[in-house]
Amino acid sequence: MTKEQQVQLGRKVMGEVYKQMPVLPDSSPETQYIQQLGKRLASAIPREYSWPYEFHVIPQKDINAFALPGGPMFVNVGAIVAADNEAELVGVMAHEMSHVYMQHSAKQASKNQWASMLGALGGLFGGGVGSLARAGIQLGAGTLLMRYSRHDEAQADSVGAIIMYKAGYDPRALADFFAKLEKQGGGGGPQFLSDHPNPGNRQAAIDKEISNWPQQRYLRDSDAFLRAKQHAATLKVYSAQQIADGAKQGLWAQQNNQGGVTPANSPGTADAATGSLSSVTYQQVRPSNNMAEWSKGTFRISYPDNWRPIEDQTPALTIAPPAGTADGVIAYGVIIGSVRDSSVSSLDQATENLIRNLQQSNPDLRASGDFQNTQVGGKQGKSVILTGRSPLQQNGQAVGERDWLITASDPQGGLAYLLFIAPESEFSQLRPVYERMLNSFQFTGQ
């Protein structure tokens, strides 16, 4: 799996977590504290090798934590309460972050298993947890994704120790916490340890790992840890069985949505029968004012940093808010690509041919108005507004869609295009950010 595919996978599964488990809001003291720790640990990883980590808290009494491919991570309240000091809690988090860093979930399955798993995830709308379970993923009451091997565990310990050390914590606290879980027996430890088999003598392995590292004064406790642990002990928490029962009743999806807990940029899901996206609000896709840059192949472009680039199997690139796309269906965002058309010599004719090709997959698509001259990456281009039907629905009916198509000749002699997509009613709100993205677009390697 590519890095982009792992990020996609993790975010799709994260959307399922918010349906199947209670999650504390980001405003809770526990979540704010865990996010503070997470940022400190993530900053210890060189940026070019890191992942888009994010951190959330589940009000579950069992001692557990899990990280999804691509970076989303969830920590149980039980883990916060059970830690005797901040370094122990950091050890659990660094260990889970290392599974993401080492791409263990992506590496341990065969290509056939991942094909099955991705197919199930693409169809979450149909089977939900049942589809995940058939693909080898357990979600909700116990574990998430496939169980790790002892070799994976040893690697996660080793890399986790490095992350802890660079963040200023004693790596031996990682082994101390695991040892404590093993001694607890029925106190919640088995759930965590069933997914994380002991690779051997953790303490001896970590002592050997750090024996030649320069000594430093380690962080151990903080006032923030003590406050978070004290407050966590007052929360209403649930057992694994209670969470599983609530998931069957749809309790957590309703509770998370009503409480505004579900992230605004959580992935959308498509309707199996119509291929449409479920209800998505503008708040869920609102573009950030901060811009990131994507550069690869023949062009580069800036985009809102809360949107995600998705590389297709074709030369096309999609940049979209996670909530605005699902299972190959896109309601918000931009598709960028290049096509070869040796049968025409004019830009106008090549653009008309491209529109006809687009109509094959969206027969309702129509040009609204004439082609206008424009500039694309320093080249003369064409601009035209298209109208059609959005994959979004309202009262069972597809809403109108407005697409903005920009074309120009690319440096390799093909036709480069940018197709900006939005529902008709929200296109004007997104037009400024689309113009900003277009103005940033540059051909490279000319």
Side-chain angles (χ1 to χ4, degrees), residues 276-277 280 331-332 362 364 387-402 422-426:
S276 66
L277 283 166
V280 178
Y332 298 84
N362 188 352
D364 298 305
T387 59
R389 289 196 304 173
S390 172
L392 293 179
Q393 293 196 356
Q394 188 173 29
N395 298 324
Q397 300 295 321
V399 302
E401 180 174 277
R402 178 174 290 255
E424 178 79 38
S425 61
E426 294 168 339

Side-chain angles (χ1 to χ4, degrees), residues 147-164:
R147 295 175 179 177
Y148 297 116
S149 69
R150 286 182 169 81
H151 175 71
D152 291 342
E153 285 300 290
Q155 279 196 326
D157 285 352
S158 180
V159 175
I162 296 171
I163 293 174
M164 290 184 69

Side-chain angles (χ1 to χ4, degrees), residues 34-360:
I34 289 296
Q35 289 177 344
Q36 171 192 332
L37 282 187
K39 288 178 181 179
R40 183 183 185 97
L41 294 174
S43 67
I45 302 173
R47 187 171 182 178
E48 63 269 27
Y49 300 118
S50 193
W51 294 78
Y53 289 107
E54 54 182 276
F55 305 89
H56 308 280
V57 178
I58 295 173
Q60 183 172 348
K61 66 175 65 174
D62 303 277
I63 302 169
N64 210 350
F66 59 84
L68 305 178
M73 179 174 171
F74 294 82
V75 178
N76 280 5
V77 166
I80 300 174
V81 174
D84 289 331
N85 52 67
E86 187 169 88
E88 287 188 351
L89 183 57
V90 164
V92 172
M93 295 175 65
H95 178 94
E96 291 301 316
M97 291 171 69
S98 298
H99 283 304
V100 176
Y101 181 88
M102 298 303 295
Q103 305 178 59
H104 285 150
S105 293
K107 291 176 179 177
Q108 68 176 305
S110 69
K111 289 183 179 180
N112 288 339
Q113 285 175 302
W114 273 117
S116 172
M117 189 176 295
L118 289 170
L121 289 169
L124 281 177
F125 46 79
V129 175
S131 296
L132 291 171
R134 287 192 295 273
I137 302 175
Q138 292 179 293
L139 175 64
T143 61
L144 198 61
L145 295 183
M146 289 172 284
R147 295 175 179 177
Y148 297 116
S149 69
R150 286 182 169 81
H151 175 71
D152 291 342
E153 285 300 290
Q155 279 196 326
D157 285 352
S158 180
V159 175
I162 296 171
I163 293 174
M164 290 184 69
Y165 178 83
K166 288 183 173 291
Y169 293 93
D170 187 350
R172 286 169 293 197
L174 187 160
D176 292 343
F177 192 72
F178 276 77
K180 181 168 63 178
L181 293 185
E182 290 176 338
K183 291 179 181 178
Q184 282 186 358
Q191 182 188 16
F192 189 85
L193 296 175
S194 67
D195 317 325
H196 300 74
N198 192 336
N201 192 325
R202 274 191 159 99
Q203 284 143 319
I206 289 178
D207 283 342
K208 182 179 179 180
E209 179 86 22
I210 69 175
S211 60
N212 294 322
W213 295 358
Q215 290 190 356
Q216 64 172 334
R217 179 175 295 178
Y218 294 120
L219 301 169
R220 191 164 180 85
D221 275 329
S222 69
D223 290 340
F225 167 74
L226 297 175
R227 288 194 300 269
K229 179 173 178 173
Q230 184 177 22
H231 190 270
T234 68
L235 292 179
K236 180 179 181 180
V237 292
Y238 305 90
S239 68
Q241 188 59 54
Q242 288 174 319
I243 290 178
D245 293 342
K248 293 176 183 177
Q249 301 166 15
L251 177 63
W252 312 125
Q254 181 181 20
Q255 178 177 297
N256 289 334
N257 284 329
Q258 289 179 345
V261 174
T262 304
N265 61 344
S266 63
T269 56
D271 181 88
T274 65
S276 66
L277 283 166
S278 60
S279 177
V280 178
T281 66
Y282 182 75
Q283 185 63 34
Q284 289 178 281
V285 301
R286 183 190 297 274
S288 166
N289 290 324
N290 300 320
M291 304 293 279
E293 185 176 277
W294 190 94
S295 179
K296 190 174 181 181
T298 60
F299 67 90
R300 65 174 178 266
I301 188 172
S302 296
Y303 63 92
D305 66 359
N306 63 334
W307 290 16
R308 297 286 182 267
I310 306 167
E311 289 188 78
D312 201 347
Q313 300 302 314
T314 69
L317 166 75
T318 297
I319 299 177
T325 181
D327 197 27
V329 177
I330 176 171
Y332 298 84
V334 58
I335 300 173
I336 307 168
S338 178
V339 295
R340 295 284 184 270
D341 191 348
S342 58
S343 65
V344 298
S345 57
S346 73
L347 184 57
D348 281 50
Q349 186 60 55
T351 302
E352 289 178 2
N353 289 353
L354 174 61
I355 293 173
R356 279 195 287 270
N357 288 336
L358 294 173
Q359 288 171 333
Q360 292 180 9

Side-chain angles (χ1 to χ4, degrees), residues 383-429:
S383 167
V384 63
I385 295 296
L386 308 174
T387 59
R389 289 196 304 173
S390 172
L392 293 179
Q393 293 196 356
Q394 188 173 29
N395 298 324
Q397 300 295 321
V399 302
E401 180 174 277
R402 178 174 290 255
D403 300 338
W404 182 23
L405 177 63
I406 307 291
T407 63
S409 298
D410 69 21
Q412 280 71 44
L415 180 72
Y417 65 89
L418 298 92
L419 185 65
F420 296 97
I421 300 169
E424 178 79 38
S425 61
E426 294 168 339
F427 185 86
S428 60
Q429 291 174 275

